[in-house]
Amino acid sequence: MTHGRLRVLLGAAPGVGKTYTMLEEGARLAAEGRDVVVAVVETHGRAATQAMIGDLEVVPRSVRTYRGVVLDEMDLEAVLARRPELALVDELAHTNAPGSTNEKRWHDVRALLDAGIDVVSTVNVQHIESLGDVVEEITGARQRETVPDAVLRSADQVEVVDLAPQALRDRLAAGDVYPANRVDAALSNYFRLGNLTALRELALLWLADEVDSALKAYRDEHGIDSHWEARERIVVALTGGPEGETLIRRAARVAARSSGGELIAVHVSSPDGLAQGEPGALAAQRALVEKAGGTYHQVVGSDVPRALVDFARASNASQLVIGVSRRGRLATALTGPGIGATVIRESGRIDVHIVTHSAAGGRSRLPRLGGALSPRRVIAGFVLALAGGPLLTWLLTNNRTEDGIAGDVLLLQLLVLVVAVTGGLWPALFAGLLSGIILDVYFIAPIYSLTIAQPLHLLAVVLYLVNATLVSWVVDQAARRSRAAARALAETELLATIAGSVIRGEGALQAVITRTREAFGLSRVRIVTDSGSGERELQSTGQEAVVGPVTRLPVGDGTALEVTGDVTAADRRLLGVVAAQVEAALEHSALSRTAGEVGPLAEVDRMRSALLAAVGHDLRRPLAAATAAVSGLRQSDVRWSDADRDELLSTAHESLDSLSTLVTNLLDVSRVQAGALAVTPADVDVDEVVMGALDELGLGPVDVELSLRVAVPPVRADTVLLQRVLVNLLDNALRYSPAGERVRISSSVFGGRVEIRVVDRGPGVPADRRDEIMVAFQRLGDTDNAAGLGLGLALSKGFVEAMGGTLSLDDTPGGGLTMVVSLAAVSVAHPHGIPTPEARVESTASATVGEEAP
């Protein structure tokens, strides 16, 4: 019997269109003549999904009664008896009712496949078993129903049904996913934009890994070892040297620039087990690789370049990152090309990045002003004299003529000049002496005898030496001037870099001392200051434990630039300039701190001005009204009626009460801003606080709609402050709600926190103005002077944050503003395992958002 094929539609969250796509595919295949049945589909009341069933044949479900509860499930026996070509089975991770043939729906799917029936099914990424912990960390909700990864990996085809997070939220707000009474809770909890983005990435990465595994299996099966750039893989070679951190960060940036790029670090060790590099440095670099999201590997190989290339090919790497060689030119000339050149030659289609670093032969160090010519040039001069003398002698003796002595003398003189230009004085003197001996022994009679028969021949040898000295002196002076020019250019670049760092300001001190250490080849550079109780380090770079001469240069009162290492007189002169730049950077830092201190002072001054302006208007009105009422009552020449007296007393009472509220709010604002607000935390029942706030405002069912969850746990809060918060939020919502529209208060539990929402249908607040209205003395538009000081939301935010919670603003679906108070729950039950049927029925009205439980 032919085994059926399984096709799974994977989604990031409920509502992305998996079931709709499954039914659409079923209708398409049925139109092509395939025998298709709907074994089970969960529409969740979505009209568009229900309409997609259309003319498809639906196999009736089996109905079971469990403890008085009627449950319907897919009728596996009926589908097997019907034996269609293709069965549509929704929600692969679903748990069947007790008494069913199989415990899980994916068991039923396996039975259909064994019977030779093709299956199209659906599943959300949060139901993949291996991702349970990750999903719980992202959403705060533990999924009770899961499907093993092996079931999905065994599928013949897995497709992602993708929908942008904001598009899914728009569908949710429009009522296309959940009923209206669940929309607000869903948007504020499981369907937050960050949650949906993370789940979408999780689904795409899971599928990418599966595709990558399938590709690797295909290449192994067909013996394909060539490089396929299906996915960016960056291999970074680590030696355990100081350049490792630079290479890792560079490779991580390359991987980050490519979507789904993978970072792989490798260290090649010798077959004899001897360490190549510092073990501590390798351990630190391994930790850095893992922190960057990469993996660390260690391979054994006697041929390092070949081992690196083989590892990169086995990993199907697209790029290989190595460090520039730390060897000098002489070492390269004597031992041949280094690892980098060999890797480039052997890499084939793998791109090789050679990254420079501070350990690469001191490239960022200033040129020294010591000798004119480098030791390498001197050695090259001696080598040229030793090799050129015998070679030239051999050529001239084999082509000897009686009239060719003049040419022989000039050629030997040319050798002396070439050596002088190459190696300077000492190689030139050696070449002059050697040329004179060669001329006397091989070309002047008596030949093959070191005998000077005529004074003229001695003069020739002396002229050789004089010419060599003069030419080498000119070369030496030119080299000195060239080195001085290079030094001056390097000093200029150094000072320009340091000055630029100081001007930019940010991180100036660290940039200056780091560049100084590299330029002068120092072990350590520090900025220290005398704090009175001892020396304190402000900034440092380099090795912690160093040995060497220490030089200190003052950079201000009690502050010094301390450098450890060999410092010449010329270096000290330039270090004086660096010290001046350090002093400027310290002054810049001090000015920045002063500016930072001025900012809060300016804010306090602005608040004080706003307070005075608000007090001048908002406190004057009730105070004037109360004063006028009391003054009228005290007039002895006026006889007031009982009604007039009561009205005056009522006016005075209302004005004084308003004045008391304003003064209380002002005092609370000052305590919040001073951090002196007294909070008495306790286990608070949310329902009781909500009812207390309604009673304080005198609100009833005509004004407010309650949608409080039954099993909301207590919160850790201050009862008085929380009630004042709700009073302020309700007062604000009622003020802006249209006539005839009720304000709604709801509560929910999500991720160990209780959220209380105050929802209105008013004009709402633009996203860019929400932070503004949470500031004291601000009202939306600041145009309604009758609205008071604008302290309600600012006080509410301060009170909630003082209780360890948050107050956030969100859009109300359909228009309006939703104010969300989030507080830590005292205890939240997170059920695990498979729910019983009665538990599933009882929780229908308050199911965890994000689960498509039947």
Side-chain angles (χ1 to χ4, degrees):
M1 180 182 297
T2 304
H3 192 272
R5 295 175 58 84
L6 174 61
R7 177 181 175 187
V8 179
L9 303 178
L10 176 65
V16 297
K18 303 179 304 301
T19 304
Y20 188 95
T21 303
M22 179 186 72
L23 293 172
E24 187 178 40
E25 181 67 6
R28 184 186 67 82
L29 294 175
E32 293 178 355
R34 297 281 305 272
D35 183 14
V36 181
V37 300
V38 177
V40 62
V41 63
E42 307 290 354
T43 63
H44 300 289
R46 300 165 190 164
T49 305
Q50 182 68 39
M52 275 305 300
I53 297 177
D55 297 331
L56 291 174
E57 179 184 349
V58 180
V59 177
R61 300 192 186 189
S62 64
V63 179
R64 289 179 172 80
T65 302
Y66 182 77
R67 296 183 181 180
V69 179
V70 178
L71 301 172
D72 57 0
E73 297 288 357
M74 182 182 78
D75 193 337
L76 177 61
E77 288 75 13
V79 177
L80 290 174
R82 170 66 174 74
R83 294 193 62 81
E85 291 183 55
L86 175 67
L88 306 181
V89 182
D90 205 5
E91 295 188 0
L92 187 62
H94 172 74
T95 301
N96 293 328
S100 301
T101 305
N102 296 309
E103 179 185 1
K104 292 282 191 177
R105 186 165 289 171
W106 59 268
H107 292 151
D108 297 339
V109 168
R110 183 171 290 175
L112 295 176
L113 296 173
D114 291 340
I117 300 173
D118 295 341
V119 175
V120 178
S121 187
T122 65
V123 70
N124 281 329
V125 69
Q126 66 262 33
H127 296 298
I128 299 177
E129 190 172 83
S130 65
L131 302 179
D133 294 339
V134 180
V135 172
E136 183 178 14
E137 184 178 351
I138 294 172
T139 65
R142 182 71 179 185
Q143 300 299 324
R144 298 187 295 268
E145 296 181 328
T146 60
V147 59
D149 290 56
V151 174
L152 291 182
R153 291 194 179 97
S154 64
D156 298 278
Q157 189 174 351
V158 179
E159 302 176 23
V160 171
V161 180
D162 190 30
L163 186 65
Q166 188 56 54
L168 179 56
R169 284 173 59 88
D170 293 341
R171 289 191 61 195
L172 189 69
D176 296 336
V177 179
Y178 289 130
N181 61 346
R182 295 178 61 188
V183 169
D184 289 339
L187 286 173
S188 301
N189 291 289
Y190 192 91
F191 286 82
R192 299 182 190 211
L193 191 60
N195 290 1
L196 295 177
T197 303
L199 291 173
R200 184 190 190 194
E201 181 181 19
L202 199 62
L204 294 173
L205 288 177
W206 189 92
L207 183 61
D209 288 338
E210 290 306 303
V211 173
D212 187 63
S213 299
L215 177 62
K216 186 176 185 302
Y218 177 84
R219 294 175 73 234
D220 293 341
E221 180 180 349
H222 291 78
I224 301 173
D225 58 358
S226 60
H227 173 61
W228 287 6
E229 294 185 9
R231 181 179 182 183
E232 288 288 347
R233 283 185 177 84
I234 293 85
V235 173
V236 54
L238 302 178
T239 64
E243 75 282 358
E245 182 176 343
T246 302
L247 300 182
I248 293 170
R249 296 188 186 280
R250 173 64 174 165
R253 289 196 297 270
V254 174
R257 285 198 294 265
S258 59
S259 179
E262 184 178 352
L263 174 63
I264 305 172
V266 59
H267 170 68
V268 180
S269 59
S270 58
D272 55 14
L274 297 177
Q276 295 177 345
E278 292 291 335
L282 280 174
Q285 291 165 14
R286 177 174 186 171
L288 180 60
V289 169
E290 294 173 350
K291 184 178 180 181
T295 57
Y296 177 87
H297 305 267
Q298 185 164 342
V299 298
V300 178
S302 56
D303 187 350
V304 175
R306 171 59 61 182
L308 283 177
V309 173
D310 289 345
F311 178 84
R313 287 176 177 165
S315 303
N316 200 28
S318 58
Q319 302 183 54
L320 180 59
V321 178
I322 61 177
V324 70
S325 176
R326 295 194 296 266
R327 302 185 309 159
R329 294 181 181 178
L330 179 61
T332 302
L334 295 176
T335 61
I339 293 176
T342 307
V343 167
I344 292 174
R345 186 176 63 252
E346 300 290 339
S347 61
R349 296 183 60 187
I350 301 176
D351 296 336
V352 179
H353 298 264
I354 299 182
V355 180
T356 186
H357 48 82
S358 58
R363 290 174 176 264
S364 59
R365 186 169 178 173
L366 291 176
R368 292 294 181 179
L369 287 176
L373 298 177
S374 65
R376 284 179 296 181
R377 287 190 61 177
V378 175
I379 294 174
F382 279 110
V383 171
L384 182 59
L386 290 173
L391 178 62
L392 185 58
T393 301
W394 178 77
L395 291 174
L396 294 178
T397 53
N398 288 335
N399 298 280
R400 189 194 307 260
T401 61
E402 294 182 0
D403 299 330
I405 185 63
D408 298 340
V409 172
L410 291 177
L411 288 174
L412 289 172
Q413 182 67 58
L414 178 61
L415 174 64
V416 175
L417 297 180
V418 171
V419 172
V421 171
T422 303
L425 178 60
W426 297 109
L429 293 177
F430 173 74
L433 183 60
L434 180 62
S435 297
I437 294 174
I438 292 174
L439 182 63
D440 182 69
V441 172
Y442 290 94
F443 300 99
I444 298 177
I447 298 177
Y448 306 124
S449 173
L450 188 58
T451 302
I452 300 177
Q454 301 179 19
L456 185 60
H457 297 166
L458 178 60
L459 179 61
V461 175
V462 173
L463 289 176
Y464 277 149
L465 298 179
V466 171
N467 290 337
T469 303
L470 292 176
V471 173
S472 61
W473 181 82
V474 173
V475 172
D476 184 80
Q477 291 301 311
R480 288 180 184 275
R481 287 183 173 84
S482 176
R483 179 161 296 191
R487 169 78 178 202
L489 177 61
E491 289 180 356
T492 302
E493 292 177 352
L494 171 63
L495 294 178
T497 302
I498 293 176
S501 301
V502 174
I503 292 173
R504 286 188 294 271
E506 184 177 357
L509 286 178
Q510 190 63 41
V512 168
I513 62 175
T514 300
R515 185 69 182 94
T516 301
R517 183 182 66 84
E518 294 175 352
F520 294 97
L522 302 169
S523 301
R524 183 174 64 178
V525 178
R526 298 195 305 161
I527 300 175
V528 295
T529 184
D530 188 358
S531 59
S533 58
E535 192 174 80
R536 182 168 61 90
E537 183 180 280
L538 298 180
Q539 294 282 352
S540 69
T541 182
Q543 306 172 13
E544 290 295 331
V546 294
V547 177
V550 177
T551 305
R552 295 173 69 99
L553 296 93
V555 293
D557 295 336
T559 307
L561 175 65
E562 180 183 286
V563 299
T564 304
D566 296 328
V567 177
T568 65
D571 292 342
R572 188 177 181 88
R573 174 184 57 81
L574 190 57
L575 281 173
V577 181
V578 174
Q581 296 292 340
V582 170
E583 185 173 2
L586 289 172
E587 292 179 0
H588 186 282
S589 179
L591 291 174
S592 299
R593 288 195 300 270
T594 303
E597 294 171 357
V598 170
L601 293 177
E603 181 65 19
V604 170
D605 185 67
R606 189 193 67 81
M607 295 289 290
R608 184 183 295 111
S609 300
L611 174 60
L612 292 175
V615 168
H617 180 276
D618 292 275
L619 295 187
R620 187 185 301 119
R621 288 185 296 105
L623 185 60
T627 302
V630 173
S631 299
L633 290 172
R634 294 188 62 187
Q635 291 181 3
S636 58
D637 56 343
V638 178
R639 299 182 62 82
W640 302 99
S641 65
D642 291 342
D644 292 337
R645 184 180 298 277
D646 289 342
E647 184 176 353
L648 289 173
L649 289 174
S650 176
T651 300
H653 179 269
E654 291 176 358
S655 299
L656 292 175
D657 184 63
S658 176
L659 186 62
S660 174
T661 301
L662 289 172
V663 172
T664 300
N665 285 341
L666 288 172
L667 293 175
D668 285 338
V669 165
S670 64
R671 284 196 290 268
V672 168
Q673 293 180 345
L677 183 66
V679 179
T680 306
D683 295 350
V684 178
D685 188 286
V686 172
D687 294 352
E688 293 180 2
V689 177
V690 170
M691 299 310 298
L694 295 177
D695 291 340
E696 182 176 339
L697 293 173
L699 302 176
V702 178
D703 309 297
V704 178
E705 173 190 351
L706 294 182
S707 180
L708 302 178
R709 186 169 175 175
V710 177
V712 170
V715 296
R716 194 67 179 168
D718 185 302
T719 305
V720 176
L721 294 182
L722 182 56
Q723 183 167 322
R724 288 195 61 190
V725 169
L726 295 180
V727 167
N728 288 335
L729 298 184
L730 283 169
D731 181 66
N732 185 82
L734 290 167
R735 183 183 303 120
Y736 292 102
S737 290
E741 288 285 352
R742 293 190 300 172
V743 173
R744 184 157 59 88
I745 303 179
S746 64
S747 62
S748 62
V749 181
F750 181 76
R753 300 183 71 83
V754 173
E755 295 185 342
I756 308 170
R757 294 174 192 79
V758 179
V759 185
D760 66 58
R761 293 288 180 178
V765 178
D768 57 347
R769 299 290 306 278
R770 291 174 185 170
D771 291 338
E772 178 182 337
I773 67 172
M774 303 289 276
V775 179
F777 313 115
Q778 291 290 325
R779 297 182 296 271
L780 186 58
D782 279 339
T783 57
D784 184 8
N785 289 329
L789 295 175
L791 298 176
L793 289 179
L795 275 177
S796 300
K797 185 174 185 294
F799 289 166
V800 173
E801 290 177 352
M803 293 183 289
T806 59
L807 173 60
S808 58
L809 307 180
D810 202 353
D811 291 324
T812 300
L817 183 67
T818 298
M819 293 169 280
V820 184
V821 177
S822 176
L823 295 166
V826 174
S827 61
V828 179
H830 292 288
H832 295 275
I834 301 173
T836 60
E838 60 267 26
R840 293 195 303 180
V841 173
E842 291 171 359
S843 63
T844 300
S846 59
T848 303
V849 177
E851 295 182 2
E852 296 182 327

